[in-house]
Amino acid sequence: MADMVVLDRLSRNFGPIRAVREISFRVGRGEVVGFLGPNGAGKTTTMRMLTGFLPPSAGTARVCGHDVVSEPLAVRRNLGYLPEGAPLYGDMTVQAFLAFVAAVRGLAGAAGRRAIGAAVERTQLQPVLHQPIDTLSKGYKRRVGLAQAILHDPPVLILDEPTDGLDPNQKYEVRRLIAEMAPGKAIIVSTHILEEVEAVCTRAIVVARGQLVADATPEELRRLSPLHNALRLRVAAATAERAREVLAHLSGVRELQLSLPVDGVAELLVLPQDGVELAPEAVARLRAERVEVRELSVERGRLDDVFRRLTLG
Amino acid sequence: MRAVLAIFRREFVAYFATPLAYVFIVIFLALAGAMTFYVGGFFERGQADLYSFFLFHPWLYLFLVPAVAMRLWAEERRSGTIELLMTLPVTPAQAVLGKFLAAWLFCGVALALTFPIWLTVNYLGEPDNGVIVASYIASWLLAGAFIAIGSCMSALTRNQVIAFVLGAVACFVFLMSGVDLVLSPLRTVLPPFALELVASFSFLFHFNELAKGVIGASSALFFASVTLLALVINTLIVELGKSA
């Protein structure tokens, strides 16, 4: 089956508040979906419905073909879940906690030991295996949460803000782990950190006010940025006016900004009309007009601009 | 079953992970002993039985058992681990049962540690050991009913103190329902058959019946059904609570 996770008009109300409104999407094997949105957009609520923790008010969701409402146990057997904030039993040691999860999941004896060993190795928990979870650093606690989620090697992984509150090194580790597991699984990672999407996700789904506002690859999202394919040039202040005239006559220019010179260098920003690539033409014309360009870069577009436009709009 | 066993083991070990378990056991043993000798007049009675020992169990349990049960669910809700637990392949009923069994066995351990008094009475005279066994079973069944009620109350809140107070009050009401203190205000509003129903819920009455070792079955069945009912309600509360 290609689609491991299917949401069909999934909705959830809390009293009069419509936390999640008719969200539909599918996730297939090998995909890492970044589930984006501002705080309070409905990310966690959606994930809780997917794991069967919260019943939906309307709509359906299926994990590996099992309905989250009518077959909650089958759903949970097929997924690993890292809840928001990675809650854990603090009084247990890492070893005892993982043994408990393995036992509940029916991994007994040698199979259980193998599963725990593999999860511990992947999350590099060996140094703290016999420490009570309460005494661990935030980074280790998050890794224990991850180890718990991947213990039974589930085909579907749902991770709610797996890198929240971690330092850059720890974030890197978690992302590497996600990327490593990606090929065989369907993974949904919620986050409000955009660099994360660029780093690990094959697809991004953006929600705002409980509604789905975008479902695209990170590259497609970047194209929505007003800065996408914009040219940024730095020229000597003396030639700035000349450069501006040349560039203004190019076809496909939507807007041109000239900043005040600093240390004798001026910066020009050229925004193209949709889908126009200005760079080759601009370079040729400037050279023909003998304007010396000190620096030239093509903007790829900023995801955070796109994120703001999508979620505030 | 496998899941119940895993949860049972986790919970049971969790009691001993903190000093709470040892404090509880010491307090229980000290109070049970003190009550027997100083209040119950174990020696003054001059009889080879444990009547004065078991007499005070309902009152000790009234505040000790809710203390054992209070963390069962309130702690899960406070720390958010309920989301972890309830997204493992476990039904709410299995989780409720596993936790109940752990707390019940823990009380059983505390109760079993009172064995020296049994040895003492056997050394001093020739007691009816059948009655003593019946009394121990009665005491454990009563503890079970209290735990089930306390666990129910624990599932209502994320605050352990509130869980304790609710549990103690609920246990008190059940314990006292056969006594005039509870019955006389109800007498004016309830028809006689309802009053009798309330009175028949008296834990004290059923405990004494059982402890006498005479008519066991109906009172044992009573405790078993109250426990079961409380656990069913507990399961419903857990199911409703997580979706709120």
Side-chain angles (χ1 to χ4, degrees), chain A residues 9-23:
Chain A
R9 283 165 288 152
L10 199 64
S11 306
R12 172 74 203 194
N13 307 329
F14 293 106
I17 301 164
R18 296 168 70 195
V20 173
R21 305 185 205 178
E22 305 207 336
I23 286 188

Side-chain angles (χ1 to χ4, degrees), chain B residues 12-27:
Chain B
F12 190 70
V13 171
Y15 277 114
F16 294 93
T18 62
L20 182 87
Y22 305 99
V23 171
F24 173 87
I25 287 175
V26 168
I27 290 180

Side-chain angles (χ1 to χ4, degrees), chain A residues 12 48 76 81 89 105-106, chain B residues 2 76 83 86 89 243:
Chain A
R12 172 74 203 194
R48 283 183 173 165
R76 288 172 204 170
Y81 176 44
Y89 293 113
R105 289 207 176 272
Chain B
R2 167 191 88 212
E76 297 263 8
E83 192 171 352
M86 289 289 118
S243 58

Side-chain angles (χ1 to χ4, degrees), chain A residues 157-234:
Chain A
L157 261 184
I158 295 182
L159 311 173
D160 200 348
E161 304 199 348
T163 59
D164 185 45
L166 299 186
D167 71 34
N169 295 338
Q170 295 166 335
K171 279 183 186 163
Y172 174 82
E173 283 300 318
V174 170
R175 285 175 199 154
R176 186 189 52 79
L177 183 65
I178 293 172
E180 223 174 81
M181 294 185 302
K185 301 185 192 302
I187 305 180
I188 303 178
V189 184
S190 92
T191 180
H192 48 245
I193 308 168
L194 292 148
E195 44 172 320
E196 202 138 295
V197 178
E198 313 208 71
V200 292
C201 298
T202 56
R203 206 168 117 207
I205 288 172
V206 186
V207 289
R209 294 171 304 277
Q211 283 168 311
L212 194 145
V213 292
D215 181 350
T217 65
E219 185 52 38
E220 283 165 348
L221 277 188
R222 227 182 268 112
R223 259 178 235 153
L224 296 174
S225 164
L227 278 178
H228 180 69
N229 273 348
L231 280 189
R232 202 180 281 279
L233 301 107
R234 285 156 72 84

Side-chain angles (χ1 to χ4, degrees), chain A residues 34-246:
Chain A
F35 199 42
L36 290 162
N39 288 330
K43 300 191 296 283
T44 297
T45 305
T46 305
M47 292 187 143
R48 283 183 173 165
M49 287 192 279
L50 272 181
T51 56
F53 185 66
L54 266 182
S57 304
T60 58
R62 301 175 82 81
V63 174
C64 294
H66 303 289
D67 186 89
V68 293
V69 177
S70 57
E71 306 163 86
L73 291 191
V75 166
R76 288 172 204 170
R77 271 192 277 274
N78 281 300
L79 65 79
Y81 176 44
L82 175 72
E84 190 179 18
L88 301 163
Y89 293 113
D91 53 349
M92 303 178 94
T93 65
V94 174
Q95 170 81 49
F97 174 70
L98 293 179
F100 163 67
V101 175
V104 172
R105 289 207 176 272
L107 295 163
R113 278 194 297 279
R114 220 172 14 249
I116 293 171
V120 163
E121 195 167 322
R122 280 210 141 152
T123 49
Q124 299 175 340
L125 283 169
Q126 293 93 338
V128 296
L129 215 46
H130 300 288
Q131 278 187 37
I133 292 171
D134 266 340
T135 65
L136 299 182
S137 69
K138 209 168 183 177
Y140 269 125
K141 279 186 189 160
R142 197 58 53 92
R143 279 194 246 168
V144 175
L146 276 170
Q148 164 275 127
I150 63 173
L151 192 67
H152 53 301
D153 197 22
V156 176
L157 261 184
I158 295 182
L159 311 173
D160 200 348
E161 304 199 348
T163 59
D164 185 45
L166 299 186
D167 71 34
N169 295 338
Q170 295 166 335
K171 279 183 186 163
Y172 174 82
E173 283 300 318
V174 170
R175 285 175 199 154
R176 186 189 52 79
L177 183 65
I178 293 172
E180 223 174 81
M181 294 185 302
K185 301 185 192 302
I187 305 180
I188 303 178
V189 184
S190 92
T191 180
H192 48 245
I193 308 168
L194 292 148
E195 44 172 320
E196 202 138 295
V197 178
E198 313 208 71
V200 292
C201 298
T202 56
R203 206 168 117 207
I205 288 172
V206 186
V207 289
R209 294 171 304 277
Q211 283 168 311
L212 194 145
V213 292
D215 181 350
T217 65
E219 185 52 38
E220 283 165 348
L221 277 188
R222 227 182 268 112
R223 259 178 235 153
L224 296 174
S225 164
L227 278 178
H228 180 69
N229 273 348
L231 280 189
R232 202 180 281 279
L233 301 107
R234 285 156 72 84
V235 297
T239 58
E241 267 310 312
R242 182 93 195 97
R244 199 171 79 110
E245 249 167 60
V246 172

